[in-house]
Amino acid sequence: MAGREDGTRQWTTGAGEHADWAAELLDHLRPAGRDVRRVVTWLASAAHAAVSLQDGTGRLLAGTRTQLDEDLVADITSGRIASAALEDRGRHLRLVRVERVHPAPAAVLAVAREAPFDRRVSDIVTHTAQVVELLLAGHESTAAGHRLRRATSDLRLAILQLLMVEDTVSARRVAAGLWPGLLDTEEACVYVVESRAEERDDLAEECLSATGERALVVRCPAMDGHVIVLTPGETAGQELRSLVGRLPGVFLGGSARQSLARTATAYGQAVSALAVARFRPDKAAVYAERTRPERLMDPAALHAWTARLLSPLDALPHHTRAELLATTRLGLEFTAVNTAKILGVSRNTVRARMDRVESLLRTDFTDLTVRATVHLALNAQAGLAEHPVGGGAARSGAACLTDLLAGAALRTWADGLLGRLEPDARNLRRTLRTWIAVGGNAERAAQTLGVHAQTVREHVRSAEPVLERQLLAAGSDLYEVVLAHLAAGDLDQPLLYGTKPGHPDSPVHG
């Protein structure tokens, strides 16, 4: 048995007899060749031996398994001895301890050959053990770094998901450990930065670098090319605009400032603004508060109508009601699959929650006018925490959708928005109205209009840049356009929670 006295020898790469093997061994430390398995294979060839690298539990890390004395291996891995040389049943063995990054247990490099170990082979084994040690340390440090970054990324996503379902208390508690003060705010903005999917990881790092510890940066679990940034301050938004300006093919959409409990609403706004950003020369847009139709409605009447519409959910426990409302709000914005990814639940859970809301409201979410109207109520419910005071308070108890849509300001907004389509000779407004009336189904709209389904899709797609809204993907943009049609009288108003007029539990339209 021997200590590791030879472990301190100097590399003699200049000497003739060592130059060849030392140069080959050093090549394995180059960035392109850092592979422990390749080094062990090289050692087996250079020493004309069978080589194995295993940890103290006997797990083979590289090479070919060699029968070794368990007690001897335990002595080496525990640190009692650093190396051993022996002859066993006609084999000449050399075992060398290989340190690893804590808490990984030490490993043993075992070399077995028929011929005795001369000085040259002994030197090769000793220096190869040092190289293996370096490579393992580098690999394990890199792996630990990856695990840390992944855990941090998962934690950011968990915080965002808690905010999406309005659990701000838990979100603050989780964030406080790693990002003290980040969520010590009542309001924040949400930004969505878009790039090609294969560039998303680099973009996320750029966003982290640009915003530092002043923002929550999350790789979107639903859209492969999106990075979500939630920030309480204004500086991060400016830094993101600067970042987008210098990166080709990258776009930025931002929300209006919202309370943390309305993070899901802010996220929807950011996605909506992103659709506008694609048509802007500076590749950035912020959701325009003035275009929100609920801002043009009588606040007291809107509050009363919203409370009445959502009243079937009032009997539920608070956490269940909040969960159903948050899921439905996102489910009306995105597909069930993407909503599930954003919330961290299964798509069946999303569908079950939305089916329950649909049942409680006794309505049909396949109807776009219903979806737009319920979406309006959910946004109003999230935005109006207290009963507003104003001129409409006295008549708020009798408020209905007809009253909400009858205001002059809303009608002017609707006529101005839809009027943008009039100059197009293809009659985009008629196509869009028909397409909405049949639930956004191009085939059914084509049958009604007597054209090809592809023509309908092209007309709807052509309307998007004119209206500066994304229509083919369900969400806030589409629902605003549906509400504009309702306010302009181009579509019949939907029946909500009630199967037909005259139902004992059903109000009139809305």
Side-chain angles (χ1 to χ4, degrees):
M1 303 297 179
R4 197 168 176 181
E5 298 174 358
D6 53 354
T8 60
R9 286 182 188 158
Q10 299 297 312
W11 286 68
T12 53
T13 56
E17 64 181 270
H18 299 292
D20 292 342
W21 67 260
E24 292 176 6
L25 184 55
L26 285 172
D27 275 342
H28 289 286
L29 287 174
R30 298 182 188 278
R34 293 174 183 171
D35 187 331
V36 170
R37 291 182 296 273
R38 288 178 57 188
V39 172
V40 169
T41 300
W42 173 86
L43 174 59
S45 175
H48 304 290
V51 181
S52 70
L53 178 67
Q54 66 180 56
D55 63 18
T57 66
R59 183 169 67 96
L60 186 67
L61 303 178
T64 56
R65 185 169 294 281
T66 302
Q67 190 67 33
L68 301 174
D69 182 275
E70 293 181 2
D71 292 337
L72 181 57
V73 170
D75 286 342
I76 293 176
T77 56
S78 66
R80 291 182 184 177
I81 57 176
S83 64
L86 66 153
E87 183 178 356
D88 178 29
R89 290 172 292 184
R91 295 184 310 167
H92 294 273
L93 282 171
R94 181 74 184 271
L95 286 74
V96 183
R97 175 183 170 88
V98 175
E99 297 286 354
R100 299 175 68 191
V101 176
H102 183 77
V108 174
L109 181 67
V111 183
R113 51 184 263 143
E114 295 180 359
F117 284 80
D118 56 23
R119 180 179 178 126
R120 175 180 177 276
V121 176
S122 296
D123 283 347
I124 293 175
V125 172
T126 298
H127 290 305
T128 301
Q130 295 172 348
V131 168
V132 168
E133 198 168 273
L134 288 172
L135 292 179
L136 284 177
H139 173 75
E140 288 161 359
S141 296
T142 300
H146 285 318
R147 287 194 296 271
L148 179 60
R149 285 191 291 273
R150 177 61 184 270
T152 305
S153 178
D154 289 346
L155 188 58
R156 291 191 185 100
L157 175 58
I159 294 168
L160 179 67
Q161 289 170 338
L162 288 169
L163 292 174
M164 287 287 193
V165 294
E166 304 179 19
D167 192 350
T168 56
V169 174
S170 297
R172 286 189 174 108
R173 187 180 298 122
V174 174
L178 287 179
W179 302 283
L182 176 63
L183 297 183
D184 291 347
T185 178
E186 294 302 320
E187 295 183 331
C189 291
V190 172
Y191 294 90
V192 176
V193 193
E194 180 183 68
S195 68
R196 291 187 299 178
E198 60 270 22
E199 298 173 348
R200 200 261 296 269
D201 286 346
D202 290 339
L203 178 63
E205 293 301 322
E206 292 272 11
C207 291
L208 283 168
S209 177
T211 59
E213 299 297 316
R214 301 182 304 279
L216 183 70
V217 179
V218 179
R219 291 167 174 82
C220 179
M223 304 298 291
D224 291 341
H226 287 185
V227 176
I228 303 169
V229 181
L230 182 145
T231 173
E234 302 293 336
T235 306
Q238 299 168 2
E239 291 167 339
L240 290 173
R241 280 181 174 272
S242 176
L243 174 66
V244 167
R246 66 175 185 268
L247 295 177
V250 177
F251 302 92
L252 174 69
S255 74
R257 197 165 184 80
Q258 301 286 355
S259 68
L260 285 182
R262 296 196 71 196
T263 296
T265 299
Y267 172 62
Q269 290 182 353
V271 173
S272 176
L274 184 63
V276 177
R278 298 187 187 105
F279 304 109
R280 294 279 180 86
D282 60 353
K283 305 182 299 177
V286 174
Y287 190 82
E289 283 281 348
R290 66 181 183 276
T291 64
R292 291 173 59 190
E294 59 264 38
R295 294 294 186 187
L296 304 175
M297 298 176 181
D298 182 312
L302 177 60
H303 184 279
W305 171 80
T306 295
R308 186 161 60 98
L309 178 64
L310 300 179
S311 61
L313 285 78
D314 291 346
L316 299 173
H318 174 75
H319 72 279
T320 302
R321 184 179 188 273
E323 188 175 68
L324 291 179
L325 290 176
T327 302
T328 302
R329 189 178 298 119
L330 282 174
L332 292 176
E333 291 277 357
F334 308 102
T335 65
V337 172
N338 285 346
T339 299
K341 291 178 180 177
I342 293 168
L343 294 177
V345 298
S346 73
R347 61 183 177 183
N348 288 337
T349 298
V350 171
R351 292 191 177 108
R353 291 176 184 174
M354 292 190 67
D355 286 346
R356 188 175 181 187
V357 172
E358 192 177 34
S359 176
L360 287 168
L361 299 184
R362 301 189 198 84
T363 193
D364 181 7
F365 282 165
T366 63
D367 186 327
L368 273 180
T369 60
V370 169
R371 291 174 70 90
T373 308
V374 173
H375 183 267
L376 169 68
L378 292 174
N379 278 345
Q381 181 268 344
L384 297 174
E386 300 178 357
H387 195 298
V389 295
R395 57 183 175 82
S396 61
C400 64
L401 184 60
T402 302
D403 297 328
L404 295 177
L405 298 177
L410 187 66
R411 181 61 185 264
T412 299
W413 167 79
D415 289 340
L417 180 64
L418 299 180
R420 301 179 194 176
L421 302 172
E422 297 294 347
D424 197 300
R426 293 172 293 177
N427 204 343
L428 298 183
R429 184 167 178 172
R430 182 186 66 173
T431 302
L432 188 56
R433 177 178 66 246
T434 305
W435 178 74
I436 292 172
V438 296
N441 187 294
E443 285 74 17
R444 289 171 59 194
Q447 291 175 1
T448 302
L449 295 169
V451 298
H452 195 279
Q454 186 59 32
T455 301
V456 173
R457 295 187 188 95
E458 289 174 358
H459 283 195
V460 175
R461 192 174 291 111
S462 296
E464 290 185 325
V466 177
L467 299 177
E468 292 189 330
R469 283 162 174 81
Q470 195 171 11
L471 304 176
L472 289 172
S476 296
D477 284 3
L478 174 59
Y479 300 143
E480 284 190 1
V481 174
V482 173
L483 289 176
H485 280 85
L486 291 172
D490 288 1
L491 291 172
D492 293 333
Q493 293 179 21
L495 288 173
L496 299 171
Y497 76 94
T499 56
K500 57 184 178 181
H503 189 283
D505 296 327
S506 173
V508 294
H509 291 49

